[in-house]
């Protein structure tokens, strides 16, 4: 049984790993190469230099370009870019955020995308945050059982509800795949009044201009920002432990090398869930520490390799083979999968009979980390109350103006109860057959 654990890195995943080690009675030691904690989430003011050549090789002619260019990781603030003509290459969250912020200072911002992207607001139904509405067990169930064509049709309709992506030049190619959206409230409005212009893939750069796949040319480009993602490497580990090939890492459930004699190494946070990374990394760390402690065991190497291959095929089928989505995975399914390993997955059927009010919230409400503290190791007595009060606590800071109370008959709650009963009935019928 492991007693001491080395945690490499004091970023978000490293910090939660330290806590989980302490929770399990292990003795962690953290190794961090910088002089502070926080990792990528630690804001540091720094000068921007020319570098990261391995990323810049994605574009022809960068050596001829006379302007300033850098990777999105080095961008900190829009000051200093006043009156510039800026090209942002990429269409992920970082690209959208940087393009929008720079457009408040620059003369013109262009955003270049190869395949397009859905863009969705952080504010969802009734003004709730997007995750509270989208990341529910009910929606997850629909995603698991509906035919692919129906799922894609529903997804496309939902993505175009805010604005028509085709009109804005953003509609993704390969629409038979599930394309994870960029989350940005301001990008459509910036495009609408011309502060940002959407362009196709860059095929060539000259000293001062960019030539795009559709044959158009934009002159007098001053700055290029490469929001083209990252390469993965583990320079502190031997290839015999964790090997990166074609920017891919073969890990059991995105965590454990399958070939090691003893399960004493895990990667935490090397994943792209369709939801928040923080609850995901926490669940990974909870499982990993119990594996280290000997309370959970991993299957045989052949079983793990079979799972890795199967999981990768499913990922490609759903999301495609784009390098930016190598670690993409379903959010709730993955959390439940890991929670089941440690006995913390909520038992909805049992909960329905014991506490129907809580069962409704667990099934139809946001799937937050509280759900994995209802039972099993790490059980928290306050989890039920936290789940039932999520909406009230979220809205409380917004209530800065007193309003007269209104009465609303809880029809939606009644419908949710009936829906949950229908799910339970279907479950019993399946068990009978």
């Amino acid at each position: 049984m492991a007693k001491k654990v080395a945690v490499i890195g004091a970023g978000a995943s490293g910090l939660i790993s330290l806590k989980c080690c302490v929770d399990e009675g292990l003795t962690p030691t953290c190794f961090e190469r910088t002089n502070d904690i926080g990792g990528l989430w630690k804001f540091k003011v720094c000068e921007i230099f020319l570098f990261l050549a391995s990323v810049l090789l994605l574009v022809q002619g960068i050596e001829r370009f006379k302007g300033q260019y850098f990777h999105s990781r080095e961008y900190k603030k829009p000051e200093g870019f006043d009156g510039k003509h800026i090209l942002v290459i990429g269409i992920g969250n970082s690209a959208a955020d940087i393009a929008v912020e720079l457009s408040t200072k620059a003369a013109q911002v262009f955003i270049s995308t190869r395949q397009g992207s859905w863009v969705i607001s952080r504010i969802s139904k009734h003004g709730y945050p997007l995750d509270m509405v989208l990341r529910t067990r009910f929606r997850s169930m629909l995603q698991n059982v509906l035919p692919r064509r129906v799922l894609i049709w529903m997804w496309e309709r939902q993505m175009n509800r805010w604005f028509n992506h085709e009109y804005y030049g953003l509609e993704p190619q390969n629409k038979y795949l599930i394309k994870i959206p960029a989350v940005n409230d301001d990008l459509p409005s910036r495009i609408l009044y011309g502060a940002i212009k959407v362009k196709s893939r860059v095929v060539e750069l000259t000293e001062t201009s960019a030539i795009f796949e559709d044959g158009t040319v934009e002159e007098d480009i001053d700055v290029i920002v490469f929001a083209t993602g990252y390469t993965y490497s583990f320079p502190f580990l031997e290839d015999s432990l964790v090997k990166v090939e074609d920017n891919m890492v073969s890990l059991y459930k995105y965590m454990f090398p399958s070939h090691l004699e003893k399960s004493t190494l895990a990667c935490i946070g090397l994943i792209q869930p369709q939801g928040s990374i923080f609850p995901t990394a926490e669940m990974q760390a909870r499982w990993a520490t119990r594996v280290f402690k000997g309370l959970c065991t991993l299957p045989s190497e052949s079983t793990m390799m079979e799972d890795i291959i199967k999981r990768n095929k499913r990922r490609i089928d759903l999301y495609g083979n784009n390098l930016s989505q190598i670690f993409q995975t379903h959010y709730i399914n993955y959390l439940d999968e890991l929670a089941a390993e440690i006995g913390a997955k909520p038992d909805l059927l049992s909960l329905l009979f014991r506490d129907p009010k809580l069962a409704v919230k667990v099934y139809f409400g946001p799937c937050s980390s509280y759900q994995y503290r209802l039972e099993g190791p790490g059980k928290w007595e306050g989890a039920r109350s936290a789940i039932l009060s999520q909406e009230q606590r979220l809205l409380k800071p917004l209530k800065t103006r007193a309003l007269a109370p209104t009465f609303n008959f809880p029809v939606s709650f009644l419908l949710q109860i009936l829906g949950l009963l229908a799910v339970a009935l279907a479950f019993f019928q399946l068990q009978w057959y």
Side-chain angles (χ1 to χ4, degrees):
M1 179 190 298
K3 295 291 186 181
K4 297 182 179 180
V5 178
V7 178
I8 302 176
S13 297
L15 293 175
I16 192 61
S17 297
L18 291 170
K19 179 186 180 299
C20 290
C21 284
V22 173
D23 288 345
E24 289 295 341
L26 301 173
T27 305
T29 301
C30 185
F31 297 87
E32 167 59 44
R33 67 177 179 177
T34 67
N35 60 358
D36 206 348
I37 64 173
L40 290 175
W41 297 88
K42 171 65 177 179
F43 181 84
K44 296 178 182 178
V45 178
C46 63
E47 298 295 329
I48 296 173
F49 300 96
L50 309 174
F51 54 97
L52 291 176
S54 61
V55 175
L56 303 182
L57 290 175
L58 294 170
V59 180
Q60 297 174 350
I62 190 63
E63 70 280 354
R64 290 187 290 163
F65 182 66
K66 300 300 182 182
Q68 183 183 16
Y69 56 92
F70 54 91
H71 190 267
S72 59
R73 185 179 184 276
E74 306 309 314
Y75 173 82
K76 300 299 178 185
K77 55 186 179 179
E79 283 72 26
F81 297 96
D82 302 70
K84 302 285 188 180
H85 289 77
I86 302 172
L87 172 62
V88 178
I89 299 179
I91 195 61
N93 287 311
S94 296
D97 288 344
I98 290 171
V100 164
E101 191 167 84
L102 285 174
S103 70
T104 64
K105 299 288 186 180
Q108 181 65 62
V109 174
F110 304 96
I111 191 165
S112 169
T113 172
R114 289 183 300 170
Q115 297 182 342
S117 176
W118 302 118
V119 178
I120 193 168
S121 172
R122 291 178 174 86
I123 302 174
S124 191
K125 187 178 179 182
H126 300 309
Y128 285 108
L130 179 66
D131 278 6
M132 287 195 73
V133 176
L134 283 188
R135 310 306 173 205
T136 70
R137 292 184 177 278
F138 175 71
R139 287 178 175 267
S140 177
M141 179 274 294
L142 292 179
Q143 186 174 340
N144 290 333
V145 303
L146 288 177
R148 170 69 65 84
R149 288 182 180 273
V150 175
L151 187 62
I152 295 297
W153 176 77
M154 290 176 61
W155 181 256
E156 187 174 338
R157 279 177 60 86
Q158 184 174 9
M159 293 299 104
N160 280 322
R161 189 172 295 167
W162 185 22
F163 70 97
N164 190 312
H165 286 65
E166 182 182 357
Y167 296 165
Y168 285 66
L170 290 169
E171 186 175 61
Q173 299 176 8
N174 301 328
K175 292 197 294 182
Y176 65 91
L177 299 173
I178 297 177
K179 177 71 174 177
I180 305 304
V183 182
N184 194 287
D185 295 291
D186 301 314
L187 183 60
S189 63
R190 300 288 181 177
I191 295 173
L192 187 62
Y193 64 75
I196 297 175
K197 294 182 179 180
V198 181
K199 305 294 294 185
S200 59
R201 182 176 66 93
V202 175
V203 293
E204 187 178 353
L205 294 171
T206 69
E207 291 184 353
T208 60
S209 64
I211 303 171
F212 298 91
E213 194 172 36
D214 58 8
T216 59
V217 179
E218 295 295 344
E219 304 284 353
D220 301 321
I221 300 294
D222 300 300
V223 181
I224 298 177
V225 182
F226 289 90
T228 48
Y230 297 84
T231 56
Y232 302 96
S233 65
F234 298 88
F236 47 85
L237 294 177
E238 297 179 354
D239 283 350
S240 60
L241 296 176
V242 177
K243 188 174 183 180
V244 181
E245 293 182 309
D246 297 325
N247 213 30
M248 294 186 66
V249 185
S250 181
L251 298 171
Y252 178 57
K253 298 189 179 182
Y254 301 108
M255 291 177 59
F256 291 99
S258 61
H259 63 284
L260 300 185
E261 182 179 348
K262 295 183 178 180
S263 306
T264 56
L265 176 64
C267 298
I268 307 297
L270 190 64
I271 193 170
Q272 291 175 298
Q274 294 177 359
S276 175
I277 183 63
F278 302 112
T280 310
E282 180 194 39
M283 188 59 71
Q284 288 183 324
R286 289 176 69 184
W287 181 36
T289 51
R290 291 184 70 81
V291 170
F292 296 158
K293 198 174 179 181
L295 299 176
C296 298
T297 57
L298 300 184
S300 65
E301 179 179 353
S302 60
T303 301
M304 287 192 282
M305 280 306 304
E306 183 180 346
D307 180 86
I308 291 171
I309 294 170
K310 181 180 178 181
R311 194 179 299 268
N312 191 48
K313 286 182 178 178
R314 176 166 174 75
R315 177 191 60 79
I316 294 173
D317 180 55
L318 288 174
Y319 310 111
N321 206 17
N322 193 309
L323 288 179
S324 65
Q325 295 184 293
I326 287 175
F327 301 108
Q328 197 74 59
T329 188
H330 190 288
Y331 182 57
I332 297 178
N333 286 359
Y334 184 71
L335 286 176
D336 278 354
E337 191 178 344
L338 300 191
E341 295 283 352
I342 65 172
K345 180 183 176 182
D347 186 346
L348 284 173
L349 196 58
S350 172
L351 203 59
L352 178 61
F353 292 104
R354 291 187 289 108
D355 194 339
K357 183 179 180 180
L358 179 60
V360 168
K361 284 293 185 181
V362 168
Y363 192 69
F364 291 100
C367 183
S368 55
S369 294
Y370 306 128
Q371 294 192 6
Y372 301 103
R373 297 290 179 176
L374 289 169
E375 52 193 77
K379 180 180 178 180
W380 177 45
E381 293 301 325
R384 181 183 187 277
S385 176
I387 292 171
L388 295 178
S389 63
Q390 284 180 105
E391 295 179 1
Q392 295 90 328
R393 288 184 289 109
L394 172 78
L395 295 176
K396 186 176 180 179
L398 305 179
K399 296 185 179 297
T400 55
R401 172 178 170 239
L403 298 173
T406 58
F407 175 75
N408 294 314
F409 184 75
V411 176
S412 60
F413 179 74
L414 179 60
L415 292 175
Q416 289 175 348
I417 285 286
L418 293 175
L420 199 56
L421 289 173
V423 171
L425 180 61
F427 175 82
F428 279 122
Q429 287 179 332
L430 287 174
Q431 293 296 314
W432 179 261
Y433 287 108

